Amino acid sequence: MGKLLFGGRKSEDDTVVEMLASAIRRDISFGLLRPDQKLKLTDLRQSYGGSNHSMRETLRILTSEGVVEATNQRGFRVTSATEDDLRDILMVRLEVEKLGLKLSLKQGDVAWESRVVAALHTVRRADALVQESPDDVTALEWDEACRDQSMALMSASGSPRLTDMAAQFYGQSRRFRLALLREGRIDFAARATRRTQLQEAIIAREETRAVGILEDEIGADLGA
């Protein structure tokens, strides 16, 4: 009986941490928690709730994702978001996601193609919705659709570690992407054209063309 109760409590704690991480991740993405801002447990608990233990676990998770970093004073702060950070994230995303797509093109079957086509269709709908109603909830749903597209392109790579790395750096690029959206600097017509071309290249298994389009897409995604 004790084990069952302990298991239920652990699950509840995990849910609290997941909710805290989602809220803080969202506020970092939208700039409510600014780059390099110190994150004090007492302030965070006042704003978001949770216990000291759950908040420390939340910060540990966000640190592993790269959106929060530990300081020399054994505290935490929001990761910086400089031009150098942007260039570094862009470089890593390009290398990782291009490799993932190349492997998927070699190994992917019809089911993979279907996942990609479905993800591209979802992004088209998300693009339309976020242009009609650019509120925070719609923006996050749009960003999640974009993330799912990136993960679908790599999903036949056969490398969970490569996919995990791509997801981590995609998450780190969220602040830059949402800033572009907020500032009206996203060319949605060009995005639609690239996605149509990307789908055609993938179905035809034209690796050079598909990878080139993906490179353009990632660059545009980060305003490069």
Side-chain angles (χ1 to χ4, degrees), residues 24-216:
I24 295 174
R25 191 185 294 117
R26 176 198 63 215
D27 287 350
I28 290 174
S29 297
F30 284 110
L32 298 177
L33 294 173
R34 300 180 305 279
D36 299 314
Q37 179 176 335
K38 291 183 179 179
L39 300 173
K40 298 180 180 179
L41 284 180
T42 52
D43 294 341
L44 291 173
R45 288 187 60 196
Q46 184 175 359
S47 298
Y48 300 97
S51 64
N52 278 337
H53 171 74
S54 61
M55 188 57 72
R56 285 188 180 278
E57 180 62 15
T58 298
L59 292 173
R60 185 194 67 78
I61 291 172
L62 296 175
T63 298
S64 71
E65 295 176 359
V67 295
V68 166
E69 59 185 27
T71 67
N72 293 333
Q73 292 76 30
R74 301 179 68 180
F76 296 90
R77 68 181 180 187
V78 178
T79 302
S80 62
T82 65
E83 288 295 325
D84 286 341
D85 293 320
L86 176 58
R87 282 191 290 269
D88 194 32
I89 292 171
L90 176 60
M91 177 190 70
V92 176
R93 279 196 58 190
L94 283 170
E95 295 305 315
V96 172
E97 294 184 40
K98 284 163 59 179
L99 176 57
L101 178 57
K102 288 179 182 178
L103 292 171
S104 290
L105 284 166
K106 289 182 173 66
Q107 302 169 172
D109 55 11
V110 174
W112 170 68
E113 291 180 4
S114 298
R115 288 195 300 273
V116 170
V117 171
L120 291 169
H121 176 67
T122 300
V123 170
R124 291 187 190 99
R125 294 189 63 182
D127 278 1
L129 288 172
V130 81
Q131 290 178 84
E132 294 172 4
S133 178
D135 55 80
D136 289 355
V137 172
T138 307
L140 287 175
E141 291 174 347
W142 169 78
D143 186 76
E144 190 63 23
C146 297
R147 176 190 179 280
D148 290 346
Q149 175 199 292
S150 291
M151 296 304 101
L153 292 172
M154 300 182 61
S155 62
S157 67
S159 175
R161 292 174 179 83
L162 192 68
T163 304
D164 287 346
M165 184 183 298
Q168 178 182 350
F169 281 94
Y170 191 94
Q172 291 180 28
S173 71
R174 180 174 289 115
R175 287 180 290 178
F176 301 98
R177 185 166 44 259
L178 290 176
L180 291 177
L181 177 66
R182 185 169 57 249
E183 295 163 7
R185 294 168 54 201
I186 294 178
D187 187 338
F188 284 99
R191 277 167 59 87
T193 298
R194 280 194 301 272
R195 280 171 171 76
T196 298
Q197 294 172 345
L198 182 59
Q199 179 172 318
E200 292 171 351
I202 286 173
I203 298 301
R205 300 298 172 114
E206 297 175 353
E207 179 183 301
T208 300
R209 183 183 176 210
V211 171
I213 296 168
L214 177 62
E215 186 169 359
D216 291 342

